[in-house]
Every structure is written in C-alpha cells, then in structure tokens.
C-alpha cells in the first residue's frame, strides 16, 4: 500500500516534518506500506503559479499525482493564527476536486502551545470532510512541550493503527464512483423518514 505524507513545515529541520515521519513509521509498524513525503515548502512557488496560470509545474504535478494515487495520507501542518497554514490550504486547493474522495486521512498539527490543539477539530477535520476524505478518529497535535513527554507516543500509535486499518479495508474494496452514486440515490429522504414515524391513526 502507498502512504503519502504531506508536510507543510517551513523550517529545516522541522517539527512538522518530524511528526509526519513518526506517524509514518508507526503506520509502517502496523501495515506494510511504501512511504513518500511531499514537502510543501519546496512547492510553494509552483503552487502560487498554479493559481495564476492554471497549470502545475513538474514537481507540483508529481505531488498531486502521488496524493491522488495514495492508499492513505498523513497531513501535517504548523498552526498559524489558530488554523492551518496558508501553504497547506493552498496545496489542497489546487488538487482535483475528487482527489481525496473516499481516501483515508490522518490529520496532525504542530504548534507552540497546547491551547491550539483544537485546530484539529475546528479547522483540519472540517476541511477534509468537505473534500470527502475518510478522516481517522484520532488526530495528533504536538505542542512544544509534548516532545519527549508522556502521551504523544500513545496518540501517534493509536492514530497510526486507525489509518493502517482504514487503508487495508479501503484499498481493497473501494466502491467505484458510479456505484456510490447509485447508493446515494437509494437513500430515503429525511421527510419520508419523518412521515413513517408519524402516527397513522
């Protein structure tokens, strides 16, 4: 199975990349995966050009292809202004609309303070839900004080296990888009469900 890590870290070395690497290693202990890392820092210029001319450069095109072809993703961003970074969001803005549909995704973030830990639930999870990805239940946030402290390793292992399980299930039995459309059309409208619950007498 192919696992792609998308890291939006800006510095070298980067705690964001470090967290992505530790998560990927944990997934590798739970399942057999080939890991590829996409460093968004190296794609910043091509991402900006893609917005202005509509065409990805060679490196960005390769990154987009890697993400679209992955069996699972680990996405890691530093926290800027209580949310994901602009570079992180810009990369996912230039992907094809269906690129993440049905794809297992593990969300993670790094920041200077534990006060920003809710960025996972308030920013990242809604973004990837909108993109129709399958987001694992456990997100991983690492504040500066978390490195070397108890608790981070446990969260990493739990989240990695969830991603490995989803990848194993969905890489084999992903439902084709046409079949998904048929299943959606068979869903009973909410109004009909309410009508069925009303007393008939």
């Amino acid at each position: 199975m192919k696992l792609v890590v998308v890291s939006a870290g800006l510095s070298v070395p980067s705690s964001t990349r470090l967290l992505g690497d530790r998560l990927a290693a944990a997934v590798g202990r739970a399942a057999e995966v080939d890991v590829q890392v996409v460093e968004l820092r190296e794609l910043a210029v091509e991402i900006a050009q893609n917005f202005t001319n509509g065409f990805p450069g060679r490196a960005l095109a390769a990154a987009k292809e890697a993400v679209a072809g992955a069996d699972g993703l680990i996405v890691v961003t530093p926290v800027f202004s209580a949310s994901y970074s602009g570079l992180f969001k810009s990369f996912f803005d230039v992907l094809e609309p269906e690129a993440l549909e049905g794809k297992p995704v593990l969300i993670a973030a790094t920041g200077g303070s534990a006060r920003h830990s809710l960025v996972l639930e308030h920013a990242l999870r809604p973004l990837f839900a909108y993109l129709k990805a399958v987001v694992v239940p456990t997100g991983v946030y690492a504040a500066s004080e978390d490195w070397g402290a108890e608790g981070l390793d446990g969260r990493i292992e739990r989240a990695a296990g969830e991603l490995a399980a989803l990848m194993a299930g969905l890489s084999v039995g992903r439902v084709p888009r046409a079949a998904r459309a048929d299943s959606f059309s068979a869903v009973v409208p909410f109004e009909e469900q309410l009508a069925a619950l009303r007393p008939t007498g």
Side-chain angles (χ1 to χ4, degrees), residues 8-11 16 77-88 109-112 116 119 123-124 141:
L10 298 179
S11 60
T16 302
T77 179
V79 175
F80 289 166
S81 301
S83 188
Y84 38 66
S85 72
L87 179 60
F88 181 85
T110 58
H116 292 304
V119 69
L124 273 77
Y141 177 82

Side-chain angles (χ1 to χ4, degrees), residues 2 4 15-16 21 26 52 58 60 65 69 87 92 95-96 104 110 121 130 137 139 155 166 168 170 196:
K2 181 179 179 182
V4 173
S15 61
T16 302
D21 288 345
T52 57
R58 183 175 300 176
L60 178 57
E65 182 178 352
L87 179 60
F92 291 100
L95 292 183
E96 300 303 321
T110 58
E121 305 303 324
Y130 174 79
R155 295 197 303 275
L166 277 175
L170 295 182

Side-chain angles (χ1 to χ4, degrees), residues 16-193:
T16 302
R17 170 64 188 271
L18 176 60
L19 180 57
D21 288 345
R22 289 183 63 176
L23 287 164
V27 174
R29 291 191 290 271
E32 187 173 340
V33 292
D34 293 321
V35 180
Q36 179 178 347
V37 178
V38 174
E39 284 275 15
L40 298 187
R41 175 178 53 83
E42 300 171 355
L43 301 174
V45 173
E46 290 192 18
I47 290 172
Q49 290 173 340
N50 195 165
F51 278 114
T52 57
N53 62 25
F55 298 98
R58 183 175 300 176
L60 178 57
K64 291 172 65 175
E65 182 178 352
V67 168
D71 294 299
L73 295 179
I74 295 171
V75 297
V76 196
T77 179
V79 175
F80 289 166
S81 301
S83 188
Y84 38 66
S85 72
L87 179 60
F88 181 85
K89 178 61 161 58
S90 295
F91 175 71
F92 291 100
D93 282 344
V94 300
L95 292 183
E96 300 303 321
E98 71 281 359
L100 300 188
E101 189 173 338
K103 197 179 300 294
V105 175
L106 191 167
I107 56 175
T110 58
S113 168
R115 292 176 298 173
H116 292 304
S117 61
L118 287 177
V119 69
L120 297 173
E121 305 303 324
H122 291 172
L124 273 77
R125 195 174 297 276
L127 170 63
F128 289 97
Y130 174 79
L131 294 173
K132 299 182 176 65
V134 181
V135 185
V136 304
T138 303
V140 180
Y141 177 82
S144 298
E145 62 266 26
D146 288 328
W147 299 101
E150 293 184 9
L152 180 59
D153 287 343
R155 295 197 303 275
I156 287 174
E157 293 295 331
R158 184 168 62 250
E162 293 169 356
L163 180 62
L166 277 175
M167 288 175 66
L170 295 182
S171 64
V172 175
R174 271 189 197 142
V175 181
R177 187 171 294 112
R180 285 199 300 269
D182 290 342
S183 65
F184 291 152
S185 66
V187 174
V188 178
F190 182 63
E191 293 79 4
E192 293 184 21
Q193 296 181 46

